[in-house]
Amino acid sequence: MKLATLNDGTPDGRLLVVSRDLKNAVDASGISATMQNALDNWENVQPALADLYHRLNDGKFDGSFELYFDQLMAPLPRARQWLDGSCFLSHGELMQKAFNLEPIEGIEHIPLIYQGASDDFLGPRADIPLPSEAHGIDFEGEFAVLLDAVPMGCPAEQALQHVRLVVQLNDVSLRALAPREMKTGFGFLQAKPSTSFAPVAVTPDELGEAWRDGRVHLPLKVEWNGEWFGHPHGGAMHFGFHQLIAHAALTRKLSAGTVIGSGTVSNADRSVGSACIAERRAIETIAEGAPRTGFMRFGDSVRMEVRATNDDVLFGAIDQRVVKGGWPCE
């Protein structure tokens, strides 16, 4: 099943059921008004949403309409909680080597996760408004899952049953602001502006064999200003989403609508490129003693897309520009 959120002028939008090929949609608000409501009541609303999805794909629903991604918000426009991991160890190893960072104790055994802001997620075609190019504007291609309610102490072996939807995102980062925030030990705030999401959230079964071991076993294609930047594979996650969920729920329950991210998709094979600029700069620093690639400028664009092994579209593409924003521009 594929779901999206229509921008109807309200903060949470209106829930849509989307056809498998992402060409058409139908208003699902009669079943569940919003994505959050669906996650809160998944067991009750899922059968009706699934029936609508099947009828839409079979051409048996008369009220469908053509889907335009620029009319969509993030699938979950604002979330109860946003937890982002760093689960591709090749990315961390590069940063450590390039910038002479101290190794993090236990990184292979305990997931790294921080709690980010979740009140203002951006849609797939929304501009990314930021105050200054001097902040080191970067993109980060990731996968994430949307959860229903998870009880405290949920073991990893049972955690995947709480994954209701899988999404793909651009976790925008401001690299010039990150080092100080990391040193304080209080986590990111200014260095992590609003995160952007691909148009459509999909149930795990839509991924077929690509969804296994709590991981998305597909490449994430990233383009910067229309040029290939990388296509690293999601299967290289060191920790699966089941392990991230269990880690986050060790001492507290997780509310329905919690979003958990994989961290920047990264592979040890450098020929596949990268999903963020910082990683390319780290590779350049190691090879040449200094980075050659700059960060994003106002007017730059980034595109991210994931396709199935048969080339079917899955989440739809993120396709955005970075623009000058903030008071008094907005």
Side-chain angles (χ1 to χ4, degrees):
M1 182 165 58
K2 299 189 175 185
L3 303 175
T5 295
L6 180 68
N7 187 352
D8 64 353
T10 65
D12 297 303
R14 188 187 314 162
L15 186 65
L16 303 178
V17 168
V18 178
S19 62
R20 183 169 285 112
D21 61 9
L22 308 191
K23 292 182 179 180
N24 298 289
V26 60
D27 189 334
S29 61
I31 301 170
S32 178
T34 65
M35 183 71 80
Q36 180 61 58
N37 179 266
L39 294 167
D40 283 334
N41 302 282
W42 189 261
E43 296 295 338
N44 295 324
V45 303
Q46 187 275 339
L49 291 173
D51 177 68
L52 192 56
Y53 180 62
H54 292 309
R55 286 192 288 146
L56 176 62
N57 286 314
D58 291 341
K60 297 178 180 179
F61 192 89
D62 294 333
S64 65
F65 54 88
E66 190 171 357
L67 185 68
Y68 295 98
F69 292 162
D70 59 358
Q71 297 177 348
L72 300 181
M73 307 170 78
L76 184 62
R78 51 181 181 171
R80 300 248 169 88
Q81 186 168 217
W82 161 227
L83 305 175
D84 198 16
S86 182
C87 298
F88 292 85
L89 297 192
S90 61
H91 177 75
E93 290 167 0
L94 267 178
M95 298 298 119
Q96 179 185 329
K97 185 175 181 180
F99 304 111
N100 298 313
L101 302 175
E102 290 292 325
I104 299 173
E105 184 178 354
I107 193 171
E108 294 184 356
H109 307 290
I110 302 174
L112 294 178
I113 305 181
Y114 77 93
Q115 189 171 42
S118 59
D119 59 320
D120 182 37
F121 290 151
L122 300 179
R125 296 293 187 272
D127 288 339
I128 303 169
L130 294 168
S132 174
E133 293 177 348
H135 289 161
I137 303 167
D138 199 355
F139 48 79
E140 290 191 55
E142 302 188 21
F143 295 103
V145 292
L146 307 186
L147 308 178
D148 65 6
V150 180
M152 182 175 68
C154 177
E157 296 76 17
Q158 298 179 26
L160 289 184
Q161 69 187 21
H162 296 287
V163 172
R164 295 312 183 189
L165 296 160
V166 183
V167 293
Q168 192 270 310
L169 61 93
N170 173 20
D171 184 39
V172 181
S173 295
L174 301 178
R175 300 299 185 183
L177 301 179
R180 180 189 177 278
E181 293 191 329
M182 293 174 69
K183 289 178 182 177
T184 67
F186 272 65
F188 297 118
L189 180 62
Q190 293 178 334
K192 290 291 186 178
S194 298
T195 301
S196 307
F197 285 76
V200 173
V202 307
T203 48
D205 62 288
E206 291 289 333
L207 300 174
E209 287 299 313
W211 177 252
R212 61 184 187 274
D213 306 321
R215 297 163 173 85
V216 179
H217 290 261
L218 291 169
L220 169 58
K221 183 180 179 182
V222 181
E223 296 179 356
W224 181 12
N225 291 330
E227 299 290 332
W228 174 89
F229 196 83
H231 59 271
H233 199 277
M237 274 180 81
H238 183 73
F239 298 101
F241 281 111
H242 56 303
Q243 294 166 298
L244 298 185
I245 295 166
H247 177 82
L250 178 64
T251 59
R252 57 175 175 161
K253 66 180 182 180
L254 306 179
S255 297
T258 293
V259 187
I260 297 187
S262 66
T264 307
V265 180
S266 175
N267 295 171
D269 178 4
R270 305 306 176 201
S271 69
V272 302
S274 300
C276 72
I277 300 170
E279 185 167 292
R280 176 180 283 187
R281 286 168 59 89
I283 293 169
E284 293 168 347
T285 298
I286 293 168
E288 305 171 32
R292 290 184 289 104
T293 302
F295 290 110
M296 299 186 82
R297 307 291 298 270
F298 294 141
D300 281 6
S301 65
V302 59
R303 179 182 172 87
M304 300 179 179
E305 187 176 39
V306 179
R307 287 180 175 263
T309 52
N310 62 0
D311 205 40
D312 281 353
V313 292
L314 288 172
F315 310 101
I318 293 173
D319 198 347
Q320 302 178 284
R321 293 183 312 132
V322 174
V323 299
K324 175 72 173 177
W327 187 89
C329 298
E330 296 180 335

